[in-house]
Amino acid sequence: MDLATIDNVCASDFLGVEYLRELQLARLQNIVRHAYEHVPLFRARMEERGVRPEHVKTLRDIALLPFFKKVDLRDTYPFGLFAVPMSEVVRLHASSGTTGKPIVVGYTREDLAVWAEVMGRALSGAGLTKNDIVQVAYGYGLFTGGLGAHDGVEAIGATVVPASVGNTQRQVMLLRDFGVTGICCTPSYFLHLIEQANAAGIDMRELPIRVGIFGAEPWSQGMRARLEQGAGIEAFDIYGLSEIIGPGVAVECVKHEGLHVFEDRFYPEIIDPDTGEVLPDGEFGELVLTTLSKFAMPMIRYRTRDLTRIITEPCKCGRTLRRIDRISARSDDMFIIRGVNVFPSQIESALLTVEGVSANYMIILTTENGMDSIELDVEINEASFSDQVRELEALQKRIIAAVESVIGLRIKLKLVAPRSIARSEGKAKRVIDNRVK
């Protein structure tokens, strides 16, 4: 994809709304017909409902179509949802498969061009240009993050540093020696990079880096503040998932008031997660996405389990693409303690309001005397670690009060030494569930 092409597709962020809806409908009708003709499971579910592709006459008719879930990809492993012959599939990606069979996704050459396009639009929306040097510290390989971001950097003509994950000291060296101006990675890993730089006597605020594109895990506004202050950057939230395409489904613009969905390529809906009812724009619920331009493995009404809302107000940046609120929680991340629904992101948000703690923590769920409980292990910073016992006790009380005021439950708190909680090079693991099943 050449730079002129990227310039043209970035104009897609500013399409007239009426034209955008016409384009969405034409692409929806096309992809539904394609899936109906080539994916047996989709055709069977359509027939169960008595629905055929020609019944999709308006965008509202998307509600006639069946939902798909992650279990459908596992049940048809590895290629049962593919809609083209393998001779047309030029790349495969897959999830780690830590909770079962991996999720396998395939791409045609045209699918990869769409992916590079939306990633290029995402990076351009964050202010990156061909004059930037961008370090990609997502994992390369079957995980979609590394190659997805890599292709997007090349699409805008910027210089890509394909660092992948790991070897953190070398990552810091590359940031400094190559004059890196942008980075793509998980927010927890960038926090680790800041810590390692500080330990090596390098102040990242003095380096050229100015933009961070962070995704693959939910992160709070408190985490944003830590990253921006620690490295002197502007942090942008990017959203995507392998089942849809990878990173590049939605991204923040410079206004940081929600994430613009590239809805000419991915059609968003919000549903009630319990009933499946489509909710009006502005109401919180589960995000459902339909791929409008992905032909190797089209996903029709895919239930993401991510909780958000569609923002109705126009963005001050001028883009006509609708926005979603930042994904701060996933319904499958939620745990229930004594009848109370708790999300790890709630605990992180409360924790990062307390001065003297780091952004590294671990939530440990246990069962004592037949009752489930929460233990929170929190790293304190170097200055707090050297405080007197009285000061540490006061800090402990402030943390407990902040967390309990948000989740409404008593917790146990353990203050631990700096850098004692294991760092993650990919998605951060924040919860250990040791409850009696």
Side-chain angles (χ1 to χ4, degrees):
M1 181 178 296
D2 58 31
L3 297 185
T5 303
I6 275 293
D7 290 341
N8 289 336
V9 298
C10 283
S12 299
D13 297 354
F14 300 91
L15 292 175
V17 174
E18 184 175 342
Y19 176 78
L20 175 59
R21 299 292 173 254
E22 292 175 357
L23 179 63
Q24 288 174 320
L25 177 59
R27 287 178 171 171
L28 174 63
Q29 291 170 329
N30 189 37
I31 204 70
V32 167
R33 189 179 309 109
H34 176 69
Y36 185 85
E37 293 173 354
H38 298 290
V39 182
L41 181 59
F42 180 71
R43 182 168 59 252
R45 288 185 177 176
M46 290 279 280
E47 290 173 349
E48 287 175 2
R49 291 171 167 242
V51 178
R52 294 180 57 83
E54 54 266 29
H55 293 152
V56 180
K57 294 179 169 46
T58 70
L59 287 174
R60 290 183 180 178
D61 293 333
I62 196 171
L64 300 173
L65 306 177
F67 291 117
F68 276 75
K69 299 179 181 180
K70 183 172 288 189
V71 67
D72 296 316
L73 283 88
R74 292 200 171 112
D75 289 347
T76 57
Y77 171 89
F79 307 138
L81 294 184
F82 282 19
V84 298
M86 288 303 295
S87 59
E88 296 181 25
V89 175
V90 298
R91 190 192 295 175
L92 296 174
H93 282 285
S95 68
S96 62
T98 54
T99 57
K101 290 181 179 179
I103 300 303
V104 179
V105 293
Y107 303 80
T108 65
R109 194 170 302 280
E110 293 74 17
D111 294 339
L112 291 180
V114 168
W115 193 8
E117 171 205 306
V118 293
M119 275 303 304
R121 290 161 68 181
L123 300 177
S124 295
L128 293 170
T129 73
K130 65 180 181 180
N131 298 316
D132 282 294
I133 301 173
V134 183
Q135 189 158 319
V136 177
Y138 286 121
Y140 281 64
L142 289 177
F143 176 59
T144 56
L147 284 169
H150 182 117
D151 289 349
V153 175
E154 289 190 343
I156 64 172
T159 303
V160 62
V161 181
S164 192
V165 296
N167 204 338
T168 303
Q169 292 179 343
R170 184 168 179 266
Q171 297 261 8
V172 173
M173 179 190 75
L174 297 177
L175 285 170
R176 180 192 61 196
D177 295 352
F178 288 5
V180 168
T181 55
I183 190 167
C184 301
C185 63
T186 63
S188 56
Y189 188 58
F190 190 68
L191 183 68
H192 185 36
L193 288 175
I194 294 173
E195 291 176 339
Q196 288 297 305
N198 290 339
I202 299 170
D203 187 345
M204 288 184 64
R205 294 170 297 182
E206 297 177 355
L207 300 183
I209 188 168
R210 60 184 181 82
V211 171
I213 312 290
F214 304 120
E217 61 189 29
W219 52 295
S220 64
Q221 293 287 22
M223 178 68 84
R224 183 201 297 275
R226 294 290 175 96
L227 300 179
E228 291 187 334
Q229 293 166 8
I233 63 166
E234 186 174 3
F236 291 82
D237 193 5
I238 191 168
Y239 174 76
L241 56 169
S242 299
E243 300 93 312
I244 298 302
I245 203 164
V249 173
V251 73
E252 284 183 321
C253 68
V254 295
K255 299 300 180 181
H256 299 285
E257 295 177 351
L259 289 80
H260 291 277
V261 180
F262 295 115
E263 55 175 325
D264 55 316
R265 300 296 187 184
F266 315 105
Y267 188 80
E269 302 173 83
I270 302 294
I271 66 167
D272 183 309
D274 297 322
T275 67
E277 175 190 1
V278 178
L279 301 176
D281 287 0
E283 292 194 21
F284 276 93
E286 180 184 346
L287 177 64
V288 172
L289 291 167
T290 296
T291 58
L292 300 178
S293 307
K294 188 164 182 281
F295 287 89
M297 197 185 82
M299 279 284 98
I300 310 295
R301 304 197 80 197
Y302 183 75
R303 295 188 59 166
T304 68
R305 312 304 295 174
D306 291 320
L307 303 177
T308 185
R309 69 182 178 107
I310 292 177
I311 299 172
T312 57
E313 300 82 5
C315 185
K316 299 182 185 69
C317 76
R319 285 175 174 79
T320 52
L321 301 171
R322 285 179 294 175
R323 291 165 292 152
I324 55 174
D325 252 341
R326 298 180 72 243
I327 306 292
S328 58
R330 290 178 54 87
S331 58
D332 48 5
D333 283 343
M334 183 185 76
F335 52 86
I336 302 174
I337 300 292
R338 298 192 289 280
V340 178
N341 297 342
V342 181
F343 294 94
S345 55
Q346 292 177 294
I347 294 176
E348 178 178 292
S349 296
L351 182 63
L352 295 184
T353 64
V354 181
E355 186 176 352
V357 302
S358 82
N360 294 297
Y361 62 94
M362 187 65 70
I363 301 166
I364 302 170
L365 308 180
T366 60
T367 302
E368 296 180 4
N369 300 320
M371 298 285 288
D372 292 342
S373 61
I374 301 173
E375 177 186 308
L376 182 60
D377 291 359
V378 178
E379 281 187 13
I380 55 178
N381 60 31
E382 296 281 0
S384 298
F385 189 64
S386 62
D387 282 345
Q388 298 294 320
V389 172
R390 183 176 299 175
E391 282 76 15
L392 289 176
E393 289 177 346
L395 175 61
Q396 189 170 34
K397 290 179 180 178
R398 291 199 300 273
I399 296 172
I400 291 173
V403 173
E404 292 182 353
S405 69
V406 170
I407 66 174
L409 291 168
R410 295 285 298 173
I411 67 166
K412 292 182 177 180
L413 178 69
K414 182 194 296 182
L415 299 181
V416 299
R419 295 181 294 280
S420 60
I421 293 176
R423 290 349 186 212
S424 171
E425 295 175 350
K427 297 182 181 182
K429 180 176 177 59
R430 299 295 195 191
V431 181
I432 298 175
D433 194 344
N434 292 332
R435 289 176 292 181
V436 176
K437 304 301 183 185

